[in-house]
Amino acid sequence: SQGGPQSRGYMAVRRQGVGLALEQATTDTLCYVADIQPGGSAALSGQVFIGDKVLSVDHKNVSGLQLSDVGAMMGGAAGSVVTLGLIRTTSVLFGPEREDLLEVRLTRGVPAPPAARPPVVSAPAVPHPSPDEYHDEPPTYPRGAVGGEAAYHVREPE
């Protein structure tokens, strides 16, 4: 009897991705991240951004490869790890764009734990003057002064 792949000593492997949608402008340009699937390994890692260019997959340069080939290289068995080499372009105000090279390890088909982030520190509360510390008189400015003082003055404690 003819069986499935397991009857011949093979095990069917379902290929999984990392939750990225790639696009490619032309076949001679690098693929770039066009979308990140919420809940996927890439999104949960917090390390991949829309617009990042894919330079390598598992340390193999993908320059000159077509989108379908790069996508096939990124897929693999659920739970396996893929290493992406990314180029992130950052615009700098009043300066040239900056390109950073990154290496990101993602687990295929299995969400990775979120990247460690520093705790959020709240600024200490600043006491506000009570309403009776304000008075309704408009501020006075020396002749010719522009701006300078706040619109309300705080009364000194008596």
Short mmCIF file of all heavy atoms in Angstrom, two decimals, residues 22 37 47-48 62 73 76 87 106 144 148:
data_model
loop_
_atom_site.label_atom_id
_atom_site.label_comp_id
_atom_site.label_asym_id
_atom_site.label_seq_id
_atom_site.Cartn_x
_atom_site.Cartn_y
_atom_site.Cartn_z
N LEU A 22 7.14 40.74 3.55
CA LEU A 22 8.23 41.42 2.84
C LEU A 22 7.75 41.92 1.49
O LEU A 22 6.84 41.35 0.90
CB LEU A 22 9.40 40.46 2.62
CG LEU A 22 10.04 39.84 3.86
CD1 LEU A 22 11.16 38.91 3.44
CD2 LEU A 22 10.54 40.90 4.81
N GLN A 37 3.15 41.05 11.55
CA GLN A 37 1.93 40.42 12.05
C GLN A 37 1.86 40.56 13.57
O GLN A 37 2.76 40.11 14.28
CB GLN A 37 1.91 38.95 11.66
CG GLN A 37 0.73 38.19 12.20
CD GLN A 37 0.86 36.70 11.92
OE1 GLN A 37 1.85 36.24 11.38
NE2 GLN A 37 -0.16 35.97 12.32
N GLN A 47 12.13 43.88 17.95
CA GLN A 47 13.43 44.20 17.36
C GLN A 47 13.38 44.50 15.87
O GLN A 47 14.38 44.92 15.29
CB GLN A 47 14.39 43.03 17.57
CG GLN A 47 14.64 42.70 19.03
CD GLN A 47 15.54 41.50 19.15
OE1 GLN A 47 16.75 41.62 18.92
NE2 GLN A 47 14.98 40.35 19.44
N VAL A 48 12.24 44.23 15.22
CA VAL A 48 12.12 44.42 13.77
C VAL A 48 11.12 45.54 13.53
O VAL A 48 10.05 45.57 14.14
CB VAL A 48 11.64 43.12 13.08
CG1 VAL A 48 11.56 43.31 11.58
CG2 VAL A 48 12.57 41.96 13.42
N VAL A 62 21.53 37.78 1.02
CA VAL A 62 20.39 37.63 0.12
C VAL A 62 20.34 38.73 -0.93
O VAL A 62 19.35 38.85 -1.65
CB VAL A 62 19.05 37.56 0.91
CG1 VAL A 62 19.02 36.35 1.81
CG2 VAL A 62 18.81 38.84 1.71
N MET A 73 13.72 31.14 2.38
CA MET A 73 14.83 30.97 3.32
C MET A 73 14.42 31.31 4.75
O MET A 73 14.95 30.74 5.71
CB MET A 73 16.01 31.87 2.91
CG MET A 73 16.71 31.44 1.64
SD MET A 73 17.94 32.65 1.09
CE MET A 73 19.21 32.46 2.34
N GLY A 76 10.70 27.82 7.99
CA GLY A 76 11.34 26.59 8.45
C GLY A 76 10.46 25.89 9.46
O GLY A 76 9.30 26.26 9.67
N ILE A 87 19.20 45.92 7.81
CA ILE A 87 19.72 47.28 7.70
C ILE A 87 18.58 48.20 8.09
O ILE A 87 17.50 48.15 7.48
CB ILE A 87 20.19 47.60 6.27
CG1 ILE A 87 21.32 46.68 5.85
CG2 ILE A 87 20.60 49.07 6.18
CD1 ILE A 87 21.74 46.85 4.40
N LEU A 106 15.04 35.12 15.66
CA LEU A 106 13.61 34.93 15.87
C LEU A 106 13.27 33.44 15.79
O LEU A 106 13.89 32.70 15.04
CB LEU A 106 12.82 35.69 14.80
CG LEU A 106 13.05 37.20 14.74
CD1 LEU A 106 12.38 37.79 13.52
CD2 LEU A 106 12.54 37.86 16.01
N GLY A 144 8.72 98.22 26.79
CA GLY A 144 9.59 97.67 25.76
C GLY A 144 9.90 96.20 25.95
O GLY A 144 10.49 95.58 25.09
N GLY A 148 8.43 87.25 28.74
CA GLY A 148 9.26 87.29 29.93
C GLY A 148 8.66 86.61 31.13
O GLY A 148 9.25 85.71 31.67
#
